[in-house]
Amino acid sequence: MLGLAGADPTAPHDAHRLQETPVPVRSRPDAPLPRPRGRSRRRRAVVAALAAASLAGLMSGPAHAGGDGGDGPVDPELRRGLQAIVDTPGGPPGAIAVLTTGGRSEVYRAGTSQLGTARPPGTTDHMRIASTAKAFSGSVALQLAERGALRLDDTLGRQLPRLPAAWHRVTLRQLLNHTSGLPDYTEAPTFIAELTADPRRRFDSRRLLDYVAGDPLRFEPGSAYRYSNSDNIAVALMAEAATGQRYEKLLAELVYRPLGLRDTSLPQGYRLPEPYLHGYAVEPPDAPEDVSTVLGASGVWASGGIVSTPRDLGAFIRGYAGGLGLGPEVRRQQLSFVEGSSEPAGPGRNRAGLAVFSYTTRCGTVYGHTGNFPGYTQFAAGTKDGKRSLTVSLTSQVNSSTNPRLLATLRELQEDFVCRLLDRRKPGTAR
């Protein structure tokens, strides 16, 4: 998760608060925030809530459920389940789920891509993929390990000696499976204050860890699990140090191009390419508020700044879950798991591998990642053979703090979609 939403304060320590937030540098903001039709006071309240890790990003909206014609059979029970998520008080204005097997897709839609229009969510609509972007940084790092440019036992001290000496023994492997103990920069008071002051501020993505440079490790590296946005910032920096190339170029060469991802990018600003799924925040009983472009992406960077589409995200997760570019040894380590949940939790039992989570459901296991950001909630998973994928995208932020009941319902629905993906045809029934 990376969505400036707070983790549940009662949750175990593997949850983190501000999951996908932007960070600062001495640079001009993209532009002042426009006045949202006389609601600037409320907009400021939303931004402050984000920074305080307590954004309630759930909302209700009109529903127009249905599958894409010509994209394969659509399970009516799953269609009703997605519709129910949108119809739930405090639910998202829009949702789309895409199941792909052997080149054929089933597309399930509910609600609208933008309130005030009748346009349903589409497979080529852009969206913020939130912490699902962590899997992209994992793909870059693991492919570099496969090529010998990095080793999973490489340390921060070796690759990034400018970082605090107390962090030097942390390894790439520990960063990838969130056992590093690095403090989370998105929880730093200075970071939160600067975000609150200017949500669209252009931050120096490569200096994000400076916000916690004076903080000690949370625990001895390798001794515990705790989800941290700092981990994947450090992964990207290690990749840059090892290759002398910018992370954005590595993404293009190692991930986008091999998988044919034409609608995926890592922006620095707050704008989204057209068309896009509009993301919303809600403060019942007020109407949902569009927060799609309230926050810039430079402060989340490798931890959650990627913009993609349901179609591209499905193609990526098939490749990543299937071991894109990895030999047997690196693949074995990618799929070595420790106890730990993604954020928000995905369906079934969650365990943490190297920038990938296993989701063990009643119908079988899939591999992927979740994420949420103000206005968006994501789940992407694939099968180990890389032949099947599932993405579920909502246009509001759903987690254990914003709406735990809706999250529980969502996880059940995600599991039903997994069963459909794995050919267990009846949602809610084990084969």
Side-chain angles (χ1 to χ4, degrees), residues 140-202:
V140 167
L142 292 177
Q143 289 190 67
L144 291 177
E146 178 64 34
R147 299 173 185 208
L150 275 174
R151 295 180 304 160
L152 291 172
D153 290 326
D154 275 350
T155 62
L156 289 179
R158 176 180 178 181
Q159 293 291 346
L160 301 169
R162 74 169 183 84
L163 292 180
W167 302 1
H168 278 190
R169 63 188 183 279
V170 171
T171 67
L172 176 60
R173 177 185 288 102
Q174 291 161 350
L175 295 168
L176 289 170
N177 68 7
H178 296 299
T179 62
S180 70
L182 286 189
D184 194 330
Y185 75 91
T186 61
E187 296 175 358
T190 302
F191 173 83
I192 294 172
E194 292 179 349
L195 171 68
T196 305
D198 184 0
R200 288 180 173 174
R201 183 171 184 160
R202 185 67 66 96

Side-chain angles (χ1 to χ4, degrees), residues 191-275:
F191 173 83
I192 294 172
E194 292 179 349
L195 171 68
T196 305
D198 184 0
R200 288 180 173 174
R201 183 171 184 160
R202 185 67 66 96
F203 299 123
D204 184 345
S205 298
R206 291 162 177 80
R207 305 293 298 193
L208 297 178
L209 297 181
D210 290 358
Y211 285 92
V212 287
D215 295 354
L217 293 173
R218 286 168 159 174
F219 48 80
E220 182 69 20
S223 67
Y225 173 89
R226 181 161 179 155
Y227 193 97
S228 172
N229 290 305
S230 294
D231 289 337
N232 296 82
I233 300 300
V235 168
L237 293 175
M238 288 183 78
E240 290 191 334
T243 63
Q245 296 185 29
R246 292 176 68 82
Y247 177 61
E248 291 81 357
K249 183 177 181 181
L250 293 170
L251 280 173
E253 293 182 352
L254 298 177
V255 182
Y256 305 164
R257 198 166 298 146
L259 291 174
L261 308 185
R262 295 184 177 87
D263 295 311
T264 302
S265 61
L266 179 55
Q268 285 282 301
Y270 61 87
R271 295 181 176 87
L272 288 169
E274 297 279 357

Side-chain angles (χ1 to χ4, degrees), residues 4 12 71 86 100 141 159 161 169 174 177 188 200 210 219 227 239 258 277 338 351 358 388-389 405:
L4 307 143
D71 278 330
V86 169
T100 301
Q159 293 291 346
R169 63 188 183 279
Q174 291 161 350
N177 68 7
R200 288 180 173 174
D210 290 358
F219 48 80
Y227 193 97
L277 293 176
V338 299
R351 302 185 74 211
S358 65
R388 305 182 185 204
S389 65
R405 288 186 179 180

Side-chain angles (χ1 to χ4, degrees), residues 96 113 121-122 125-127 272 275-279 292 310 376 393 395:
I96 181 170
S113 61
D125 285 347
H126 294 84
M127 58 188 182
L272 288 169
Y276 64 87
L277 293 176
H278 288 247
S292 311
Y376 301 91
S393 305
T395 59

